[in-house]
Tab-separated table of all heavy atoms in Angstrom:
chain	number	residue	atom	x	y	z
A	6	GLY	N	-1.070	7.965	5.786
A	6	GLY	CA	0.119	7.069	5.711
A	6	GLY	C	-0.244	5.741	6.242
A	6	GLY	O	-1.187	5.529	7.132
A	7	ILE	N	0.304	4.705	5.738
A	7	ILE	CA	0.032	3.319	6.142
A	7	ILE	C	1.374	2.749	6.764
A	7	ILE	O	2.285	2.798	6.182
A	7	ILE	CB	-0.396	2.432	4.978
A	7	ILE	CG1	-1.729	2.875	4.397
A	7	ILE	CG2	-0.559	0.924	5.372
A	7	ILE	CD1	-2.100	2.236	3.109
A	8	ILE	N	1.153	2.186	7.993
A	8	ILE	CA	2.244	1.477	8.697
A	8	ILE	C	1.965	-0.031	8.550
A	8	ILE	O	0.831	-0.427	9.013
A	8	ILE	CB	2.381	1.905	10.166
A	8	ILE	CG1	2.607	3.401	10.259
A	8	ILE	CG2	3.525	1.259	10.840
A	8	ILE	CD1	3.879	4.028	9.558
A	9	GLY	N	2.940	-0.792	7.984
A	9	GLY	CA	2.742	-2.235	7.918
A	9	GLY	C	1.919	-2.581	6.611
A	9	GLY	O	0.803	-3.183	6.571
A	10	GLY	N	2.376	-2.026	5.483
A	10	GLY	CA	1.647	-2.131	4.259
A	10	GLY	C	1.749	-3.378	3.347
A	10	GLY	O	1.314	-3.467	2.281
A	11	ALA	N	2.600	-4.308	3.851
A	11	ALA	CA	2.890	-5.508	3.002
A	11	ALA	C	1.921	-6.666	3.268
A	11	ALA	O	1.975	-7.602	2.401
A	11	ALA	CB	4.380	-5.935	3.196
A	12	GLY	N	1.231	-6.655	4.373
A	12	GLY	CA	0.282	-7.707	4.675
A	12	GLY	C	-0.963	-7.533	3.916
A	12	GLY	O	-1.308	-6.751	3.114
A	13	TYR	N	-1.917	-8.487	4.264
A	13	TYR	CA	-3.264	-8.490	3.649
A	13	TYR	C	-4.003	-7.278	3.947
A	13	TYR	O	-4.532	-6.657	3.086
A	13	TYR	CB	-4.010	-9.756	4.109
A	13	TYR	CG	-3.561	-10.987	3.556
A	13	TYR	CD1	-3.559	-12.113	4.368
A	13	TYR	CD2	-3.249	-11.147	2.267
A	13	TYR	CE1	-3.167	-13.447	3.908
A	13	TYR	CE2	-2.844	-12.394	1.772
A	13	TYR	CZ	-2.792	-13.484	2.539
A	13	TYR	OH	-2.296	-14.775	2.022
A	14	THR	N	-4.101	-6.916	5.271
A	14	THR	CA	-4.922	-5.614	5.452
A	14	THR	C	-4.231	-4.414	5.051
A	14	THR	O	-4.834	-3.474	4.451
A	14	THR	CB	-5.151	-5.533	7.050
A	14	THR	OG1	-3.832	-5.456	7.783
A	14	THR	CG2	-5.964	-6.689	7.533
A	15	GLY	N	-2.825	-4.347	5.047
A	15	GLY	CA	-2.159	-3.214	4.436
A	15	GLY	C	-2.357	-3.085	2.952
A	15	GLY	O	-2.648	-2.097	2.446
A	16	GLY	N	-2.316	-4.291	2.287
A	16	GLY	CA	-2.620	-4.321	0.833
A	16	GLY	C	-4.006	-3.833	0.530
A	16	GLY	O	-4.134	-3.150	-0.437
A	17	GLU	N	-5.039	-4.287	1.304
A	17	GLU	CA	-6.369	-3.828	1.051
A	17	GLU	C	-6.512	-2.389	1.195
A	17	GLU	O	-7.221	-1.647	0.451
A	17	GLU	CB	-7.319	-4.564	1.978
A	17	GLU	CG	-7.560	-6.072	1.507
A	17	GLU	CD	-8.235	-6.085	0.226
A	17	GLU	OE1	-9.454	-6.093	0.105
A	17	GLU	OE2	-7.528	-6.434	-0.788
A	18	ALA	N	-5.757	-1.854	2.334
A	18	ALA	CA	-5.911	-0.351	2.514
A	18	ALA	C	-5.242	0.427	1.360
A	18	ALA	O	-5.747	1.396	0.912
A	18	ALA	CB	-5.118	-0.126	3.879
A	19	VAL	N	-4.158	-0.068	0.840
A	19	VAL	CA	-3.594	0.607	-0.324
A	19	VAL	C	-4.593	0.609	-1.449
A	19	VAL	O	-4.764	1.617	-2.092
A	19	VAL	CB	-2.260	-0.134	-0.772
A	19	VAL	CG1	-1.776	0.462	-1.940
A	19	VAL	CG2	-1.198	-0.008	0.346
A	20	ARG	N	-5.201	-0.564	-1.755
A	20	ARG	CA	-6.169	-0.669	-2.890
A	20	ARG	C	-7.208	0.339	-2.818
A	20	ARG	O	-7.633	1.000	-3.752
A	20	ARG	CB	-6.702	-2.074	-3.031
A	20	ARG	CG	-5.698	-3.067	-3.364
A	20	ARG	CD	-6.210	-4.557	-3.466
A	20	ARG	NE	-5.187	-5.483	-3.568
A	20	ARG	CZ	-4.515	-6.188	-2.705
A	20	ARG	NH1	-4.888	-6.004	-1.384
A	20	ARG	NH2	-3.576	-6.913	-2.996
A	21	LEU	N	-7.778	0.575	-1.531
A	21	LEU	CA	-8.842	1.416	-1.317
A	21	LEU	C	-8.423	2.865	-1.432
A	21	LEU	O	-9.070	3.725	-2.049
A	21	LEU	CB	-9.526	1.100	-0.041
A	21	LEU	CG	-10.243	-0.229	0.139
A	21	LEU	CD1	-10.614	-0.442	1.588
A	21	LEU	CD2	-11.387	-0.283	-0.724
A	22	LEU	N	-7.318	3.145	-0.732
A	22	LEU	CA	-6.863	4.594	-0.615
A	22	LEU	C	-6.359	5.196	-1.915
A	22	LEU	O	-6.450	6.413	-2.209
A	22	LEU	CB	-5.850	4.737	0.544
A	22	LEU	CG	-6.463	4.361	1.875
A	22	LEU	CD1	-5.534	4.303	2.968
A	22	LEU	CD2	-7.626	5.354	2.200
A	23	ILE	N	-5.560	4.367	-2.835
A	23	ILE	CA	-5.162	4.964	-4.076
A	23	ILE	C	-6.356	5.463	-5.099
A	23	ILE	O	-6.209	6.147	-5.891
A	23	ILE	CB	-4.122	4.051	-4.738
A	23	ILE	CG1	-4.698	2.770	-5.219
A	23	ILE	CG2	-2.864	3.949	-3.899
A	23	ILE	CD1	-3.751	1.829	-6.103
A	24	ASN	N	-7.516	4.809	-4.784
A	24	ASN	CA	-8.659	5.145	-5.543
A	24	ASN	C	-9.648	5.870	-4.923
A	24	ASN	O	-10.698	6.203	-5.511
A	24	ASN	CB	-9.215	3.775	-6.028
A	24	ASN	CG	-8.419	2.996	-6.980
A	24	ASN	OD1	-8.090	3.599	-8.020
A	24	ASN	ND2	-8.027	1.747	-6.621
A	25	HIS	N	-9.295	6.390	-3.626
A	25	HIS	CA	-10.277	7.155	-2.847
A	25	HIS	C	-10.256	8.674	-3.359
A	25	HIS	O	-9.084	9.241	-3.267
A	25	HIS	CB	-9.947	7.100	-1.374
A	25	HIS	CG	-10.933	7.575	-0.483
A	25	HIS	ND1	-11.252	8.941	-0.406
A	25	HIS	CD2	-11.698	6.967	0.495
A	25	HIS	CE1	-12.262	9.089	0.514
A	25	HIS	NE2	-12.532	7.882	1.124
A	26	PRO	N	-11.300	9.135	-3.751
A	26	PRO	CA	-11.143	10.637	-4.264
A	26	PRO	C	-10.882	11.647	-3.338
A	26	PRO	O	-10.537	12.835	-3.689
A	26	PRO	CB	-12.627	10.822	-4.927
A	26	PRO	CG	-13.513	9.855	-4.113
A	26	PRO	CD	-12.656	8.689	-3.807
A	27	GLY	N	-10.980	11.366	-2.033
A	27	GLY	CA	-10.709	12.390	-1.001
A	27	GLY	C	-9.418	12.233	-0.235
A	27	GLY	O	-9.150	12.899	0.781
A	28	VAL	N	-8.484	11.282	-0.839
A	28	VAL	CA	-7.238	10.847	-0.147
A	28	VAL	C	-6.137	11.106	-1.043
A	28	VAL	O	-6.070	10.821	-2.175
A	28	VAL	CB	-7.398	9.415	0.346
A	28	VAL	CG1	-6.078	8.874	0.798
A	28	VAL	CG2	-8.296	9.370	1.539
A	29	GLU	N	-5.015	11.555	-0.421
A	29	GLU	CA	-3.718	11.558	-1.029
A	29	GLU	C	-2.910	10.402	-0.061
A	29	GLU	O	-2.676	10.746	1.074
A	29	GLU	CB	-3.024	12.910	-0.991
A	29	GLU	CG	-1.515	12.878	-1.467
A	29	GLU	CD	-0.778	14.192	-1.301
A	29	GLU	OE1	-1.446	15.153	-1.014
A	29	GLU	OE2	0.436	14.200	-1.388
A	30	LEU	N	-2.477	9.446	-0.701
A	30	LEU	CA	-1.676	8.413	0.058
A	30	LEU	C	-0.179	8.864	0.095
A	30	LEU	O	0.484	8.900	-1.012
A	30	LEU	CB	-1.815	7.087	-0.539
A	30	LEU	CG	-1.092	5.821	0.097
A	30	LEU	CD1	-1.670	5.779	1.592
A	30	LEU	CD2	-1.391	4.559	-0.577
A	31	ALA	N	0.221	9.349	1.154
A	31	ALA	CA	1.545	9.934	1.400
A	31	ALA	C	2.742	8.926	1.324
A	31	ALA	O	3.824	9.225	0.890
A	31	ALA	CB	1.645	10.850	2.607
A	32	TYR	N	2.559	7.792	2.079
A	32	TYR	CA	3.492	6.714	2.091
A	32	TYR	C	2.897	5.377	2.465
A	32	TYR	O	1.836	5.418	3.097
A	32	TYR	CB	4.633	7.095	3.030
A	32	TYR	CG	4.190	7.272	4.442
A	32	TYR	CD1	3.914	6.267	5.360
A	32	TYR	CD2	4.060	8.731	4.965
A	32	TYR	CE1	3.544	6.591	6.596
A	32	TYR	CE2	3.716	8.914	6.215
A	32	TYR	CZ	3.377	7.859	7.088
A	32	TYR	OH	2.993	8.038	8.452
A	33	VAL	N	3.563	4.373	2.195
A	33	VAL	CA	3.272	2.970	2.648
A	33	VAL	C	4.551	2.511	3.252
A	33	VAL	O	5.541	2.180	2.560
A	33	VAL	CB	2.861	2.002	1.505
A	33	VAL	CG1	2.297	0.754	2.023
A	33	VAL	CG2	1.577	2.725	0.706
A	34	HIS	N	4.548	2.302	4.535
A	34	HIS	CA	5.769	1.875	5.347
A	34	HIS	C	5.835	0.397	5.536
A	34	HIS	O	4.758	-0.305	5.795
A	34	HIS	CB	5.774	2.640	6.664
A	34	HIS	CG	7.068	2.449	7.360
A	34	HIS	ND1	7.389	1.375	8.206
A	34	HIS	CD2	8.093	3.275	7.509
A	34	HIS	CE1	8.586	1.449	8.724
A	34	HIS	NE2	9.007	2.651	8.379
A	35	SER	N	6.980	-0.253	5.299
A	35	SER	CA	7.047	-1.633	5.593
A	35	SER	C	8.735	-1.859	5.928
A	35	SER	O	9.520	-1.415	5.301
A	35	SER	CB	6.856	-2.434	4.389
A	35	SER	OG	7.351	-3.789	4.546
A	36	ASN	N	8.752	-2.339	7.133
A	36	ASN	CA	10.283	-2.690	7.649
A	36	ASN	C	10.896	-3.726	6.734
A	36	ASN	O	12.091	-3.744	6.557
A	36	ASN	CB	10.187	-3.224	9.125
A	36	ASN	CG	9.795	-2.122	10.069
A	36	ASN	OD1	10.105	-1.002	9.852
A	36	ASN	ND2	9.058	-2.493	11.104
A	37	SER	N	10.116	-4.594	6.165
A	37	SER	CA	10.686	-5.743	5.428
A	37	SER	C	10.828	-5.407	3.914
A	37	SER	O	11.546	-6.343	3.199
A	37	SER	CB	9.982	-7.028	5.695
A	37	SER	OG	8.631	-6.807	5.267
A	38	ASN	N	10.264	-4.437	3.302
A	38	ASN	CA	10.178	-4.136	1.888
A	38	ASN	C	10.624	-2.860	1.523
A	38	ASN	O	10.287	-2.348	0.462
A	38	ASN	CB	8.779	-4.476	1.409
A	38	ASN	CG	8.419	-5.863	1.325
A	38	ASN	OD1	8.868	-6.564	0.422
A	38	ASN	ND2	7.652	-6.487	2.354
A	39	GLY	N	11.325	-2.075	2.312
A	39	GLY	CA	11.823	-0.749	2.082
A	39	GLY	C	12.437	-0.625	0.722
A	39	GLY	O	13.387	-1.458	0.384
A	40	GLY	N	12.019	0.157	-0.240
A	40	GLY	CA	12.538	0.305	-1.575
A	40	GLY	C	11.934	-0.428	-2.636
A	40	GLY	O	12.076	-0.068	-3.872
A	41	ASN	N	11.173	-1.478	-2.237
A	41	ASN	CA	10.497	-2.333	-3.242
A	41	ASN	C	9.282	-1.671	-3.741
A	41	ASN	O	8.608	-0.822	-3.043
A	41	ASN	CB	10.120	-3.614	-2.666
A	41	ASN	CG	11.323	-4.533	-2.219
A	41	ASN	OD1	12.436	-4.334	-2.883
A	41	ASN	ND2	11.128	-5.405	-1.260
A	42	ARG	N	8.905	-1.809	-4.987
A	42	ARG	CA	7.661	-1.454	-5.455
A	42	ARG	C	6.401	-2.030	-4.799
A	42	ARG	O	6.460	-3.264	-4.549
A	42	ARG	CB	7.530	-1.554	-6.947
A	42	ARG	CG	8.433	-0.885	-7.965
A	42	ARG	CD	8.242	-1.204	-9.386
A	42	ARG	NE	9.246	-0.583	-10.187
A	42	ARG	CZ	9.057	0.636	-10.703
A	42	ARG	NH1	8.077	1.396	-10.352
A	42	ARG	NH2	10.056	1.047	-11.459
A	43	VAL	N	5.469	-1.249	-4.492
A	43	VAL	CA	4.292	-1.788	-3.845
A	43	VAL	C	3.665	-2.852	-4.740
A	43	VAL	O	3.153	-3.847	-4.238
A	43	VAL	CB	3.236	-0.716	-3.586
A	43	VAL	CG1	1.867	-1.171	-3.160
A	43	VAL	CG2	3.824	0.294	-2.458
A	44	SER	N	3.672	-2.624	-6.103
A	44	SER	CA	3.132	-3.595	-7.001
A	44	SER	C	3.897	-4.902	-7.107
A	44	SER	O	3.502	-5.858	-7.763
A	44	SER	CB	3.035	-2.908	-8.358
A	44	SER	OG	4.206	-2.576	-8.933
A	45	ASP	N	5.194	-4.844	-6.529
A	45	ASP	CA	5.989	-6.126	-6.603
A	45	ASP	C	5.423	-7.027	-5.458
A	45	ASP	O	5.577	-8.346	-5.544
A	45	ASP	CB	7.428	-5.901	-6.364
A	45	ASP	CG	8.135	-5.287	-7.565
A	45	ASP	OD1	7.524	-5.417	-8.723
A	45	ASP	OD2	9.242	-4.728	-7.489
A	46	VAL	N	4.847	-6.562	-4.377
A	46	VAL	CA	4.360	-7.309	-3.305
A	46	VAL	C	2.914	-7.532	-3.447
A	46	VAL	O	2.414	-8.691	-3.404
A	46	VAL	CB	4.567	-6.611	-1.931
A	46	VAL	CG1	3.894	-7.294	-0.807
A	46	VAL	CG2	6.069	-6.481	-1.714
A	47	HIS	N	2.160	-6.566	-3.895
A	47	HIS	CA	0.787	-6.660	-4.233
A	47	HIS	C	0.545	-6.560	-5.743
A	47	HIS	O	0.326	-5.554	-6.235
A	47	HIS	CB	-0.124	-5.518	-3.556
A	47	HIS	CG	0.106	-5.485	-1.985
A	47	HIS	ND1	-0.204	-6.509	-1.192
A	47	HIS	CD2	0.683	-4.517	-1.263
A	47	HIS	CE1	0.040	-6.201	0.046
A	47	HIS	NE2	0.614	-4.985	0.086
A	48	ALA	N	0.809	-7.781	-6.340
A	48	ALA	CA	0.919	-7.775	-7.826
A	48	ALA	C	-0.248	-7.322	-8.670
A	48	ALA	O	-0.102	-6.891	-9.770
A	48	ALA	CB	1.248	-9.159	-8.198
A	49	ASP	N	-1.428	-7.321	-8.013
A	49	ASP	CA	-2.622	-6.846	-8.732
A	49	ASP	C	-2.652	-5.361	-8.853
A	49	ASP	O	-3.372	-4.839	-9.717
A	49	ASP	CB	-3.908	-7.253	-7.936
A	49	ASP	CG	-3.820	-6.731	-6.542
A	49	ASP	OD1	-2.939	-7.188	-5.761
A	49	ASP	OD2	-4.658	-5.854	-6.145
A	50	LEU	N	-1.749	-4.621	-8.207
A	50	LEU	CA	-1.704	-3.205	-8.343
A	50	LEU	C	-0.645	-2.658	-9.482
A	50	LEU	O	-0.509	-1.444	-9.635
A	50	LEU	CB	-1.218	-2.603	-7.010
A	50	LEU	CG	-2.211	-2.777	-5.879
A	50	LEU	CD1	-1.649	-2.032	-4.495
A	50	LEU	CD2	-3.474	-1.969	-6.211
């Protein structure tokens, strides 16, 4: 799980972990973006 996923380091963690063969990304938490698509904030995704 990622806490604080909307910033630069959170976005980089998402990019790495969704492609990591040993990981299931269970959630990306953000107090300011709840309900928004991750790809709406990190448009490259």
Side-chain angles (χ1 to χ4, degrees):
I7 297 174
I8 305 296
Y13 288 139
T14 58
E17 287 295 277
V19 173
R20 292 178 186 95
L21 293 171
L22 294 172
I23 62 173
N24 292 300
H25 192 296
V28 165
E29 176 189 347
L30 186 56
Y32 58 79
V33 183
H34 189 278
S35 170
N36 289 326
S37 59
N38 282 280
N41 294 334
R42 291 182 186 274
V43 170
S44 60
D45 287 344
V46 174
H47 304 299
D49 56 293
L50 293 178

